Amino acid sequence: MALDQSFVGRTYPPTPAYEVGREKIREFAEAVGDANPAYVDAEAARALGHADVIAPPTFVFSITYRAAGQVVQDPQLGLDYSRVVHGDQKFSYVRPVRAGDRLTVTSTIESIKSMAGNDVIDIRGDVHDETGELVVTALTKLVARATEEA
């Protein structure tokens, strides 16, 4: 069943603040195999003009994906998450994420399309720091595969 187009433009409340820690950044950089010293060494980060270590570009996925959960779990939307696959992910940065940032995410449904019985939903996650400054925008594309009856 196609998702309701009236949800396009719907914005969900900001998430609670997520405090970015040096250890979380280090763990993430290690997990993705990125040895950039700016991710683990404050002096290396400062030499590049940053106040502290910075996070790899995909680090924010963990918090924007969780925030998108507000959308996919919205019972009024009616998305069958058991049929969802991750279609695409893009990030548009204003500045790097830094250790000590307290970030919130506001999710907005950008578009809903139906293609060959599949529902495709684009969710924008605007990530702001504690001062309200936009840090990064994440665009997540989810595809709810058609049921076999479709």
Side-chain angles (χ1 to χ4, degrees):
M1 181 157 116
L3 295 175
D4 186 347
Q5 290 289 320
S6 72
F7 277 75
V8 173
R10 182 174 286 197
T11 298
Y12 292 78
T15 61
Y18 173 89
E19 187 164 344
V20 179
R22 285 182 181 159
E23 186 63 12
K24 287 289 184 187
I25 291 172
R26 186 197 62 74
E27 290 170 349
F28 187 88
E30 185 178 284
V32 298
D34 195 331
N36 185 329
Y39 303 152
V40 295
D41 181 348
E43 288 304 315
R46 281 193 270 284
L48 295 171
H50 304 289
D52 204 336
V53 296
I54 59 172
T58 55
F59 178 85
V60 295
F61 176 77
S62 61
I63 62 173
T64 59
Y65 184 76
R66 239 179 293 150
Q70 293 178 85
V71 177
V72 299
Q73 294 171 8
D74 184 337
Q76 294 178 327
L77 179 60
L79 181 67
D80 180 358
Y81 193 69
S82 71
R83 305 196 68 76
V84 170
V85 294
H86 188 240
D88 194 16
Q89 187 70 53
K90 296 178 182 171
F91 301 100
S92 178
Y93 274 86
V94 175
R95 68 160 176 84
V97 170
R98 302 181 285 244
D101 277 341
R102 291 182 47 80
L103 304 175
T104 59
V105 184
T106 303
S107 296
T108 301
I109 297 175
E110 288 286 291
S111 70
I112 296 173
K113 298 177 184 125
S114 195
M115 298 166 36
N118 299 311
D119 287 318
V120 180
I121 184 168
D122 291 315
I123 303 167
R124 185 184 79 234
D126 293 317
V127 180
H128 293 89
D129 68 13
E130 62 277 5
T131 68
E133 175 190 357
L134 180 66
V135 175
V136 59
T137 297
L139 299 172
T140 303
K141 183 180 296 291
L142 301 176
V143 179
R145 296 166 291 132
T147 62
E148 285 144 27
E149 298 86 47

